Amino acid sequence: METRKPPSLPRVLLVEDDTISQAYFRAVLEALPAAVDAVTTQACALARAETVRHDLWLVDLNLPDGSGPDLLQRLRARWPQPPPALAHTADADPAVRVAALQAGFRDVLVKPLATAELAGAVRSALADAGDLPDWDNAAAAMALNHDPANVQALRRLFLEELPGARDEVLSSARRGDAGALRSRLHRLQAGCGLVGARRLGAAVELLRRTPESMTALDRFDHAARDLLR
C-alpha cells in the first residue's frame, strides 16, 4: 500500500518583541495548526526570511529597530511574490489602521486579541493564499471524540445540507440582507468546525468579517463548490 506523505503545515513568520504576547500568538497559531518562526526584531525577521519561504507574515507595527511597514517593504523586496501579511498593534487609532492598510497589510489586528479573532484572521489569510486543505481530519476527529464513524456521518449530513446553505448565503449577500447573511454564516461556521471543513470555514470567517466584499463572496462560493464536487 502506498503511504501518503502528510500535508506540511503552513509556516508563519511572527514578529513580536513582547515576550508574553509572543507566547500567546505562538500558542494560538500552533493550535490551528501552523508552524511558527517567532522573532523579536526587524533584523531577525529579515534574516529568517532569507532562508525560509513563509505562508503568512504576522508583523508588529512597532519594533525595537524599525516599523512594521518598513519591514513589510523590505520583506517584499526579498520575495517578489509575497504571502499575505497581517499587522498587529496595541494602538487602536483609526489613522494607524489606515496607514498600515495603505502600506500593504491585509488587515490590522488590535491587541489584546481574543483567540477566535486571531485564529479567524489567520485562517482567512491562509485561505486567501490557497494554503488550507478542504478537509482537516485531525480537527474533525478532535471535535468528535476521535470517532471515525461520527466524522463520516456528520460529513455526509453536512454535504447534504451544504447546497441549500450556499444558496442562502449567496442570496442574502446579493440582496444586501446583512442580518440573514450573518445568521447563516454563524450556523455554517459551527458546522465547518465540527466536520473539519477547513478551507470553507476560513472562507466563511472572511465573509463574516467583510460581508461587503465580492472577493470574499467568490472565495466562499468556490470553497463550497469544491466540497460538493
Side-chain angles (χ1 to χ4, degrees):
M1 179 182 296
E2 180 183 357
T3 301
R4 291 187 178 181
K5 182 180 178 181
S8 59
L9 296 179
R11 184 166 289 277
V12 178
L13 177 63
L14 169 63
V15 190
E16 168 62 78
D17 64 311
D18 178 71
T19 304
I20 301 301
S21 294
Q22 187 185 104
Y24 171 70
F25 272 76
R26 181 190 286 277
V28 174
L29 293 169
E30 290 181 344
L32 290 177
V36 182
D37 290 328
V39 297
T40 58
T41 65
Q42 181 176 135
C44 290
L46 292 169
R48 188 61 175 157
E50 277 296 315
T51 57
V52 179
R53 168 77 187 188
H54 293 94
D55 300 297
L56 175 68
W57 296 327
L58 187 55
V59 179
D60 195 340
L61 288 179
N62 296 290
L63 297 166
D65 57 345
S67 71
D70 179 55
L71 174 56
L72 180 60
Q73 182 179 10
R74 297 178 70 181
L75 286 170
R76 285 181 162 179
R78 171 64 181 85
W79 295 101
Q81 294 182 318
L86 295 173
H88 54 93
T89 178
D91 192 340
D93 187 342
V96 171
R97 174 181 176 81
V98 169
L101 295 176
Q102 289 176 341
F105 285 102
R106 184 180 186 275
D107 200 357
V108 181
L109 309 177
V110 179
K111 297 176 285 190
L113 280 164
T115 298
E117 182 181 2
L118 173 57
V122 170
R123 286 193 185 101
S124 296
L126 290 172
D128 202 21
D131 289 312
L132 292 181
D134 285 332
W135 296 111
D136 184 338
N137 293 325
M142 184 175 297
L144 297 170
N145 296 319
H146 300 278
D147 187 330
N150 278 347
V151 172
Q152 293 306 315
L154 276 185
R155 280 187 179 173
R156 283 194 297 270
L157 181 60
F158 179 82
L159 290 173
E160 287 172 5
E161 296 182 349
L162 183 55
R166 170 180 168 267
D167 290 344
E168 288 180 37
V169 168
L170 296 178
S171 175
S172 298
R174 288 168 179 163
R175 69 174 183 267
D177 189 337
L181 177 62
R182 186 165 50 249
S183 175
R184 196 63 189 87
L185 289 174
H186 177 75
R187 285 181 285 141
L188 185 56
Q189 190 166 36
C192 288
L194 282 173
V195 302
R198 193 169 174 192
R199 184 161 72 96
L200 179 59
V204 167
E205 172 65 16
L206 177 62
L207 185 56
R208 187 189 66 78
R209 289 165 59 88
T210 57
E212 73 290 345
S213 169
M214 289 305 299
T215 298
L217 187 62
D218 287 344
R219 195 167 304 282
F220 163 82
D221 190 22
H222 280 93
R225 286 192 284 112
D226 284 347
L227 283 184
L228 292 170
R229 285 179 180 172

